[in-house]
Amino acid sequence: MSTTPRNPLAHLTQELATLRSNGTYFELRILEDEQAAVCVYDGKRVINLASNNYLGFANHPKLREAAIAAVRKYGVGSGAVRTIAGTMRIHMELEEKIARFKDVEACVVFQSGFAANAGTVSSVLGREDFIISDELNHASIIDGARLSRAKIKVFRHKDVAHAEELLQEVQNEPGRKLIITDGVFSMDGDIGPVDRLCALAEKYEAIMMVDDAHASGVLGRNGRGSVDHFHCHGKVDIQVGTLSKAIGALGGYVCGSRDLIDYLRHRARPFLFSTSHPPSVAATCIAAFDLLEQEPERIERLWDNTRYLKKGFEAAGFDVGGRTTPASESPITPIIIGDSAKTMEFSRRLFDVGVMATGIVFPTVPEGKARIRTIVTSEHTQGQMDEALDKFVRVGKEMSIL
Ligand SMILES: *Cc1c(COP(=O)(O)O)cnc(C)c1O
């Protein structure tokens, strides 16, 4: 009889050992207070350039109050999935609010942006259909595409001519075609060619879908997103957005025609098989959409800060994208390093001197394109940005990156 202890998960231990030996193993950083421009992770005060809290909504006093009031009034949970008993009046109010904001017929809210994408793509398409997808689209789109069993055709990043070639290849196939792009790409901060892809969708009678997770609250009038930014109203059949980033809470949504939304309520699996948001989350999001209208100066400050920080990184000599990677056009500014282990080391050393900026490595970005991803918010002061820039320069020189 063998004396070796039973370990059917030994391959996981081996995989972790590989991560440790190539320098890409990480420990989670623990936030000790609230998500803010300056906050305490692992007991250390740091300037935070890592969150998606673009507009400071995650801790906005009015949103806190909205959440607390909803807890008092409705409790902490919805008690069921939406289709059984878990649709509260406040869920409906949020959906109506978003539909008006986006100027579409209807909206359905999911538990997360991930669930919105995965649940929508997988239910709208079937085995005989085709997905024409940008190579840098978000993982939730890719998972939704796989679940749909549709055939996935990937076009080179933002290469509309390549997307057209792929459409031509399948033009005479009976299946439906869906073109999909991120509005703002999460790892490079560049903007998807929504207008030109809409023209393709029209020409080839394809369904047009945009994932605006990083564009919601950031691009377009009052943060209405990339469709508004490109004046493509009425041309995007399926608009996905998130409530987890600029909106400050949690959730995702799909906007489109009344029939699209009705269909998703009958067929999207995260809607059918996963409990709806706590009422406090819905209340928070309702108040957040009011704030986008009431405090547009936050979005202006976000863009001012974006320009300031980007210029600072460039002036210091960092590769902020645009050389071997796409050029950022949003508050997401990557600092391209290349080597994974070096990137993780840079991130660790930045943390040690007081800057939180996450290293992003393979498989999240391609091999050889590892980077520090920075996201500035409307709430960072010029002093904080200057301090962060000084620290980037100091560590960059120490590590011979500059
Ligand atoms: C963050 C993100 C999502 C997922 O949104 P969550 O609400 O965090 O689940 C989807 N798509 C893109 C492009 C994202 O960046």
Side-chain angles (χ1 to χ4, degrees):
M1 233 183 7
S2 164
T3 52
T4 325
R6 185 178 168 277
N7 187 5
L9 296 177
H11 60 298
L12 307 186
T13 310
Q14 270 164 26
E15 184 67 29
L16 288 170
T18 308
L19 294 182
R20 284 195 182 87
S21 72
N22 67 23
T24 56
Y25 183 86
F26 57 83
E27 298 283 352
L28 299 174
R29 295 245 183 249
I30 314 291
L31 177 58
E32 321 260 4
D33 54 1
E34 60 192 51
Q35 189 58 260
V38 174
C39 50
V40 177
Y41 280 92
D42 294 341
K44 191 173 175 67
R45 176 197 164 276
V46 289
I47 298 169
N48 183 2
L49 292 179
S51 88
N52 300 312
N53 186 21
Y54 287 106
L55 302 173
F57 280 11
N59 41 15
H60 192 291
K62 283 187 182 165
L63 302 196
R64 287 180 206 258
E65 288 311 315
I68 292 165
V71 168
R72 293 230 160 85
K73 204 161 169 193
Y74 304 115
V76 296
S78 72
V81 302
R82 290 285 298 274
T83 50
I84 306 284
T87 296
M88 300 171 95
R89 173 72 55 205
I90 203 163
H91 293 127
M92 302 305 287
E93 275 172 32
L94 173 59
E95 290 172 342
E96 285 155 19
K97 178 134 215 145
I98 299 172
R100 277 199 303 279
F101 180 75
K102 290 279 198 170
D103 197 17
V104 293
E105 277 180 24
C107 169
V108 56
V109 168
F110 287 86
Q111 300 83 353
S112 69
F114 196 106
N117 268 328
T120 300
V121 175
S122 60
S123 62
V124 166
L125 295 183
R127 196 186 293 276
E128 61 292 344
D129 300 329
F130 296 90
I131 299 178
I132 316 294
S133 177
D134 188 289
E135 65 180 334
L136 296 187
N137 277 345
H138 192 259
S140 53
I141 295 172
I142 298 166
D143 285 13
R146 288 178 184 155
L147 285 169
S148 76
R149 298 190 181 86
K151 288 165 228 53
I152 305 169
K153 301 254 174 194
V154 175
F155 59 91
R156 287 185 296 273
H157 183 50
K158 297 210 292 190
D159 188 336
V160 178
H162 189 208
E164 179 157 21
E165 274 172 42
L166 298 178
L167 280 161
Q168 281 165 352
E169 282 174 21
V170 298
Q171 199 171 7
N172 298 322
E173 304 275 347
R176 278 171 288 271
K177 289 90 196 179
L178 174 119
I179 305 174
I180 182 161
T181 183
D182 282 7
V184 169
F185 288 89
S186 50
M187 295 303 148
D188 293 282
D190 54 335
I191 298 176
V194 173
D195 50 349
R196 288 181 295 139
L197 290 173
C198 282
L200 270 194
E202 215 162 303
K203 184 169 169 190
Y204 291 89
E205 295 179 359
I207 305 161
M208 183 66 205
M209 176 166 173
V210 172
D211 173 8
D212 255 351
H214 280 283
S216 317
V218 174
L219 278 189
R221 287 169 305 139
N222 300 81
R224 281 178 169 75
S226 66
V227 175
D228 190 74
H229 173 80
F230 281 109
H231 309 291
C232 285
H233 293 280
K235 295 181 179 170
V236 176
D237 307 293
I238 308 177
Q239 285 188 60
V240 170
T242 186
L243 305 167
S244 324
K245 288 171 178 152
I247 300 303
L250 175 69
Y253 57 86
V254 178
C255 282
S257 68
R258 180 83 258 160
D259 283 353
L260 169 70
I261 303 312
D262 276 350
Y263 177 83
L264 291 174
R265 285 180 176 163
H266 286 82
R267 284 291 177 269
R269 291 166 73 82
F271 189 86
L272 297 174
F273 295 108
S274 185
T275 298
S276 53
H277 278 149
S280 54
V281 170
T284 305
C285 295
I286 290 171
F289 282 95
D290 286 335
L291 273 188
L292 287 178
E293 310 268 20
Q294 290 161 3
E295 300 185 7
E297 65 276 9
R298 282 177 182 261
I299 302 178
E300 273 165 44
R301 270 204 319 271
L302 170 66
W303 283 97
D304 287 344
N305 286 352
T306 296
R307 283 183 283 271
Y308 187 83
L309 192 65
K310 225 183 269 287
K311 207 185 270 175
F313 281 131
E314 260 172 350
F318 285 110
D319 176 359
V320 297
R323 298 184 198 171
T324 61
T325 59
S328 165
E329 305 165 272
S330 76
I332 300 171
T333 304
I335 307 293
I336 308 296
I337 309 294
D339 179 71
S340 293
K342 197 169 184 182
T343 299
M344 297 307 274
E345 175 67 14
F346 192 11
S347 175
R348 271 191 293 271
R349 289 210 204 176
L350 281 170
F351 186 81
D352 290 342
V353 299
V355 177
M356 173 84 166
T358 315
I360 312 261
V361 304
F362 181 82
T364 308
V365 295
E367 204 93 66
K369 302 272 172 75
R371 78 236 8 223
I372 302 287
R373 186 180 67 161
T374 68
I375 297 183
V376 75
T377 74
S378 60
E379 304 314 286
H380 287 86
T381 64
Q382 191 175 326
Q384 289 160 358
M385 290 188 285
D386 286 339
E387 192 183 330
L389 284 167
D390 280 349
K391 289 174 171 170
F392 262 87
V393 168
R394 196 196 323 158
V395 177
K397 283 184 177 152
E398 276 168 19
M399 291 187 64
S400 309
I401 287 161
L402 286 180

